[in-house]
Amino acid sequence: MTKSGRRPLMAGNWKMNLNWREAHLLVQQLAARLNEQQLTDVEVVVLPPFVDLRSVQAAVEEGKLKIGYGSQDISQHAKGAYTGEIAGSMLTALGCTYAVMGHSERRQYHSESDEIVNAKVQAALASGLTPIMCVGEGLDIREAGNHVEYTVAQLDGGLKGLTAEQVEKVVVAYEPVWAIGTGKTATPEDAQEVIGALRKRLAELYPGGTADKVRILYGGSVKGSNAAGIMAKPDIDGALVGGAALDAEDFSKIVCFSEN
Ligand code: PEP
């Protein structure tokens, strides 16, 4: 454990990549590169497409792997006539422990508002899943200098109505949109500025130690070569990784950031 007892979390968002066979193989390749100690020091999670979850579950169970997995989205509804949606209970039945909501690609292409993100956080918690709630500003907002208040407002909206006990279970991922998939990483200082402000806001909203328990990740072009610098910042507890998570070698380097 580091940073006030918060265990680092490295979560690989595979986005819409890999079929079920490729998914099975990638989990095995990743596990083969990480030893027991590394998987104890750092929590490793993969977030495959829904249709790959069964084969990821099989790979994890067959190999008794200490790798967690979850979904890239979750329905805000528990069940019923919601064509194309996937409920939290369906995810836990497959052994998922995490669900992402509010990724910038879903905010942008699927009109996922803070209200919907909030409903999805609540749905995940109700199913026993750990939400990974994404926030982050676009380039226009960053250039106007409004990135801190913008992301803090997204945090407020996404956590609306939650108790301190519920918030302690949430993982927040700060992903500046301009740094996702672009190769442009925010500097560790840029990431710390916003993540520190998010933690400060959590402390205001939930006095009594909650803010120290919540893990806040950085995401946006994280690679083996830049993970250590990002992780050196006091409020950054891990990474949400896109492109580099599709490569077992690079993702395992991110997991082993402390050895670089
Ligand atoms: C992401 O999609 O969450 C992400 C951070 O992508 P990338 O690492 O490729 O920038």
Side-chain angles (χ1 to χ4, degrees), residues 96-149:
C96 289
T97 50
Y98 284 88
V100 175
M101 61 286 301
H103 191 281
S104 63
E105 287 150 18
R106 295 210 58 90
R107 289 182 189 261
Q108 186 180 350
Y109 307 132
H110 302 272
S111 308
E112 211 164 285
S113 63
D114 287 337
E115 292 70 36
I116 294 173
V117 172
N118 179 246
K120 290 184 176 189
V121 170
Q122 307 221 25
L125 289 168
S127 305
L129 294 160
T130 299
I132 301 179
M133 186 186 88
C134 303
V135 298
E137 81 286 356
L139 190 57
D140 50 336
I141 292 161
R142 159 85 35 182
E143 284 177 347
N146 297 329
H147 45 288
V148 171
E149 57 246 67

Side-chain angles (χ1 to χ4, degrees), residues 8 14 64 90 167 189 193 197 208:
W14 294 358
K64 296 191 174 41
M90 298 170 181
V167 170
E189 291 69 31
E193 180 196 19

Side-chain angles (χ1 to χ4, degrees), residues 48-69:
F50 288 123
V51 292
D52 294 349
L53 286 169
R54 184 76 181 98
S55 67
V56 168
Q57 178 186 36
V60 167
E61 288 182 356
E62 283 156 18
K64 296 191 174 41
L65 310 178
K66 277 191 174 174
I67 292 179
Y69 52 93

Side-chain angles (χ1 to χ4, degrees), residues 43-214:
E43 184 177 359
V44 177
V45 167
V46 295
L47 304 160
F50 288 123
V51 292
D52 294 349
L53 286 169
R54 184 76 181 98
S55 67
V56 168
Q57 178 186 36
V60 167
E61 288 182 356
E62 283 156 18
K64 296 191 174 41
L65 310 178
K66 277 191 174 174
I67 292 179
Y69 52 93
S71 61
Q72 298 170 17
D73 186 28
I74 179 174
S75 175
Q76 61 187 290
H77 306 290
K79 65 185 278 193
Y82 300 102
T83 302
E85 297 268 288
I86 304 290
S89 59
M90 298 170 181
L91 299 170
T92 50
L94 281 166
C96 289
T97 50
Y98 284 88
V100 175
M101 61 286 301
H103 191 281
S104 63
E105 287 150 18
R106 295 210 58 90
R107 289 182 189 261
Q108 186 180 350
Y109 307 132
H110 302 272
S111 308
E112 211 164 285
S113 63
D114 287 337
E115 292 70 36
I116 294 173
V117 172
N118 179 246
K120 290 184 176 189
V121 170
Q122 307 221 25
L125 289 168
S127 305
L129 294 160
T130 299
I132 301 179
M133 186 186 88
C134 303
V135 298
E137 81 286 356
L139 190 57
D140 50 336
I141 292 161
R142 159 85 35 182
E143 284 177 347
N146 297 329
H147 45 288
V148 171
E149 57 246 67
Y150 183 86
T151 48
V152 166
Q154 286 182 321
L155 181 83
D156 286 358
L159 299 182
K160 203 168 175 190
L162 299 191
T163 64
E165 204 188 6
Q166 287 177 311
V167 170
E168 282 173 17
K169 295 181 188 144
V170 175
V171 173
V172 178
Y174 167 57
E175 299 205 308
V177 181
W178 48 272
I180 297 178
T182 57
K184 278 187 204 160
T185 324
T187 64
E189 291 69 31
D190 289 336
Q192 169 61 33
E193 180 196 19
V194 176
I195 291 178
L198 294 174
R199 198 176 302 285
K200 191 161 156 266
R201 179 63 176 156
L202 287 173
E204 282 164 17
L205 291 173
Y206 302 94
T210 300
D212 292 332
K213 295 189 184 140
V214 175

Side-chain angles (χ1 to χ4, degrees), residues 13 15 103 105 175 179-182 219-222 240-244:
N13 172 17
K15 311 195 189 198
H103 191 281
E105 287 150 18
E175 299 205 308
I180 297 178
T182 57
S221 301
V222 176
L240 183 55
V241 183

